[in-house]
Amino acid sequence: MSEKNKKMFSRIASYYDKMNSILSLGADAKWRAEAARECMLSRRPIMVLDVATGTGELALAINAEASKRGKRVIIDGIDFNEDMLEVARKKLHQKAIKNIRLQLVDALSYSSDNAFDVITSGFALRNFDSLEKFIGVTYKLLKSNGKVVFLEVAKPESKFIDFFRFYYFKVIPVIAARYNKDAYIHLVSTAWEFDKDRLIRMMKSTGFTNVKVKNLSWGAAFILTAWKRGKKASK
């Protein structure tokens, strides 16, 4: 990710979670819980890479879902921003969680081929300098029959689009002015412009199979799942 994005996330790290809740009208926790359920494979343990883990909310949701099901999960959370990771470290310390390991590293330079059963990312795809390169790296990092679970926001595809347009571009700038207006206008704009169809084409052309998209909250967010070769593993 660019140096500009790195500085932006540093400025908003301390209230990133709060603003995510505001931006999503409180739905972001449910979205992450749904993504976490998609990560629950039959393998023991489940090795997960959470890319752009940020403040660790998706990694924590995956860990909570695994605990609920009595599954063992080991999560490597990587991010390029130290300030975001520091927020995540405090959460892990407070909860005494040892099986989530955090590392400061850019996803595009991460090297550990065929190492993970699941690769996840929450709200990060639209911020990569090269989404195509990231998808290629993801393919290399996954084990055979590994699964991708991407959670992202996008332009809603529903009759409520006028409501979302008003909320995103009229209401949110007013709320965000208390925090960092420019950063949140950027995040909303990139969500509105994100091309899901292009993402699907990239996944398929890279070699992923069984690529599926599940819309959430009238299309305001979505979960993309896909597999690296082989048939779908049972849950």
Side-chain angles (χ1 to χ4, degrees):
M1 295 186 186
S2 68
E3 190 64 25
K4 180 179 179 180
N5 275 350
K6 184 176 181 180
K7 291 179 179 178
M8 179 188 72
F9 281 108
S10 288
R11 290 194 298 270
I12 64 177
S14 62
Y15 44 81
Y16 179 78
D17 292 340
K18 182 175 183 178
M19 283 303 299
N20 266 352
S21 180
I22 292 172
L23 293 176
S24 68
L25 292 170
D28 59 312
K30 293 181 179 179
W31 297 345
R32 282 189 292 268
E34 182 69 21
R37 287 190 284 272
E38 289 288 349
C39 298
M40 296 297 105
L41 307 185
S42 60
R43 305 171 193 182
R44 294 179 181 275
I46 306 171
M47 303 295 297
V48 178
L49 176 67
D50 183 28
V51 179
T53 194
T55 61
E57 285 295 289
L58 181 53
L60 287 167
I62 295 169
N63 188 60
E65 183 66 23
S67 297
K68 186 167 64 176
R69 297 186 184 212
K71 290 181 174 289
R72 185 178 174 223
V73 63
I74 298 172
I75 305 170
D76 284 345
I78 64 172
D79 203 283
F80 78 136
N81 187 283
E82 177 62 29
D83 296 300
M84 296 285 277
L85 285 177
E86 186 57 29
V87 176
R89 289 191 190 100
K90 291 177 181 177
K91 294 176 184 178
L92 298 184
H93 178 72
Q94 290 170 356
K95 296 175 183 291
I97 294 174
K98 304 296 184 182
N99 59 309
I100 299 178
R101 307 175 299 197
L102 301 177
Q103 185 177 357
L104 180 66
V105 62
D106 192 313
L108 297 184
S109 62
Y110 195 74
S111 179
S112 187
D113 293 357
N114 305 304
F116 298 97
D117 300 302
V118 179
I119 295 182
T120 66
S121 182
F123 313 127
L125 298 182
R126 66 194 194 280
N127 292 310
F128 284 112
D129 296 332
S130 173
L131 182 56
E132 188 172 14
K133 183 177 179 180
F134 169 65
I135 291 171
V137 170
T138 298
Y139 192 85
K140 290 175 62 179
L141 293 173
L142 272 179
K143 295 178 183 178
S144 180
N145 293 317
K147 186 180 185 182
V148 162
V149 180
F150 291 151
L151 171 62
E152 189 53 274
V153 288
K155 183 179 180 179
E157 299 172 352
S158 71
K159 62 183 179 181
F160 298 104
I161 189 170
D162 289 337
F163 163 76
F164 282 105
R165 181 182 287 111
F166 176 78
Y167 182 69
Y168 284 175
F169 295 102
K170 299 296 183 181
V171 177
I172 284 179
V174 175
I175 299 173
R178 297 175 54 193
Y179 301 92
N180 188 303
K181 184 176 180 179
D182 291 342
Y184 283 94
I185 288 177
H186 167 77
L187 293 175
V188 167
S189 297
T190 54
W192 202 261
E193 296 164 3
F194 192 81
D195 190 340
K196 283 191 284 189
D197 292 333
R198 176 171 173 263
L199 171 63
I200 293 169
R201 291 195 299 271
M202 285 183 183
M203 298 294 292
K204 291 179 177 178
S205 65
T206 301
F208 285 101
T209 62
N210 201 22
V211 180
K212 295 181 179 180
V213 170
K214 179 179 181 179
N215 285 327
L216 307 169
S217 300
W218 304 289
F222 68 92
I223 294 173
L224 180 143
T225 57
W227 296 82
K228 177 180 177 178
R229 301 191 187 104
K231 60 184 179 180
K232 182 176 178 180
S234 61
K235 291 186 179 180

